[in-house]
Amino acid sequence: KKFSILGNYDNKIFWPVAILYGCIIAYAIIDPSGAGATFSSIQRFIIAHFSWLILLTGASAIFFSVWMACSSRFATVKLGAADEKPEFSFFAWVAMLFCAALGTGFVIFGAAEPLYHLFTAPTVMDAGSAGAVRGVPEAIRLSVVNWGLFGWPLFAVGGWAIGYAAYRHNKPLRTSTGLYGLLGERCNDTLVSKAVDVLAAIGTIGGVSMMIGLGVASISYAFQILFGIELGATGKFSIMLCFILTYIISTSTGLARGMRYLSESNGYITLGLLFAVLILGATPFTYVINMIMQREWSGSWFIFYILWNISYVPFTGGFIARISRGRTMREFVCGTVLVPLFMTLLWFSVWGSNSCYEQLKGFLPLWETVQGSPEQA
């Protein structure tokens, strides 16, 4: 394997994933509409028959995270040695968490999703508030619950399971390492562990591909409205190639340099965008603040988001484990659950209230626009 382009790899994991996705890509290229119909039917079947299990999984992650953070026995346990210090500052750590899990989705859906709920959510329609000012708080509430309540506890559980075994028992940072509590020293070597790593790769590729696709569509639309340039297939492929090259460069320069600097830059840009919309937007400041304060914790649309987040657990959980060495369980849960929840509340309240306000006041036909392409919001 010295001259292999793949380097050191596991045949039992790589080839099943490569063959499966090769077939999926070939199917999508040969028959795009048929592939879309097939995968949509699979998704509908899963939601129709396993919604209870998906909701139970998400709820269990929430309760488990809270219990571990509040437990006098486990809250002070560290990822690493007892005297080990965190590798990254709190801001760098949180910035990298967001880059791993929510960056593109936040920007695309921050303005679009509240509009979807305002006009189509059952709870809004049942209250007779669809497309009305009084439906905006409910629309933003649903967005906050979908993006902030269920996903991060799942990432926290996955990240801690992988990181604890990796740093306390010298195991590799792989998804199957999270099975250490069940399989012990053989957590990476059994048929079950190989199957877990294969499923982790399949889920990760699917979840990340969706986000990359949304990112390419969003940037393509930005070129159109900012510069009047209509990007074809070659242009969109070039954008995707830039994504890949940026990732390679940032990781090859080391996590403490490339990925950290990239994440911190994105963090400052995100905060800048947030306050720019808050201060410069047409929506009155008091209206936005009211939307932040009017929150309740229930809603719908859970299933799709929980499934999407579950597909991200191997990728995001492993990455969180990598950057969280030296942090206690309480710090870990607060950083990976409470901080993102607060940021989600702030982000969707500011962006969502602005998009709904612009729509309801007739300043911009945002609802008509986002129904076909949410990235245009």
Side-chain angles (χ1 to χ4, degrees), residues 68-274:
M68 289 290 281
C70 297
S71 168
S72 59
R73 180 181 178 185
F74 299 112
T76 57
V77 174
K78 283 190 175 183
L79 282 177
D83 59 347
E84 201 159 358
K85 301 296 183 183
E87 184 178 358
F88 302 101
S89 69
F90 185 77
F91 180 80
W93 182 51
V94 171
M96 285 192 281
L97 294 178
F98 272 91
C99 278
L102 291 178
T104 305
F106 253 40
V107 175
I108 291 176
F109 289 103
E113 183 163 328
L115 286 169
Y116 279 104
H117 295 318
L118 179 62
F119 284 91
T120 64
T123 51
V124 177
M125 298 176 70
D126 291 345
S129 305
V133 174
R134 64 181 182 275
V136 176
E138 172 71 2
I140 295 175
R141 179 183 65 79
L142 291 171
S143 302
V144 172
V145 171
N146 290 338
W147 282 86
L149 188 60
F150 277 95
W152 287 94
L154 288 166
F155 301 154
V157 172
W160 188 268
I162 296 170
Y164 185 84
Y167 300 136
R168 288 296 186 101
H169 300 283
N170 298 315
K171 294 297 177 182
L173 280 168
R174 288 167 54 177
T175 307
S176 57
T177 297
L179 299 174
Y180 185 87
L182 297 174
L183 302 179
E185 294 298 323
R186 299 195 63 203
C187 62
N188 301 122
D189 302 324
T190 66
L191 180 62
V192 172
S193 62
K194 298 296 183 184
V196 166
D197 284 330
V198 167
L199 289 173
I202 291 171
T204 296
I205 294 170
V208 174
S209 296
M210 177 178 174
M211 193 62 77
I212 290 177
L214 289 171
V216 170
S218 180
I219 292 176
S220 300
Y221 183 72
F223 269 90
Q224 180 181 334
I225 63 172
L226 292 176
F227 310 115
I229 300 175
E230 188 81 33
L231 295 180
T234 302
K236 292 177 180 177
F237 178 80
S238 299
I239 293 173
M240 186 167 64
L241 188 61
C242 288
F243 281 175
I244 296 170
L245 290 175
T246 301
Y247 171 76
I248 292 173
I249 293 171
S250 65
T251 50
S252 63
T253 53
L255 188 66
R257 295 179 60 194
M259 189 66 75
R260 175 187 171 186
Y261 295 151
L262 182 65
S263 299
E264 287 183 331
S265 300
N266 281 332
Y268 289 122
I269 292 171
T270 299
L271 291 174
L273 283 171
L274 183 68

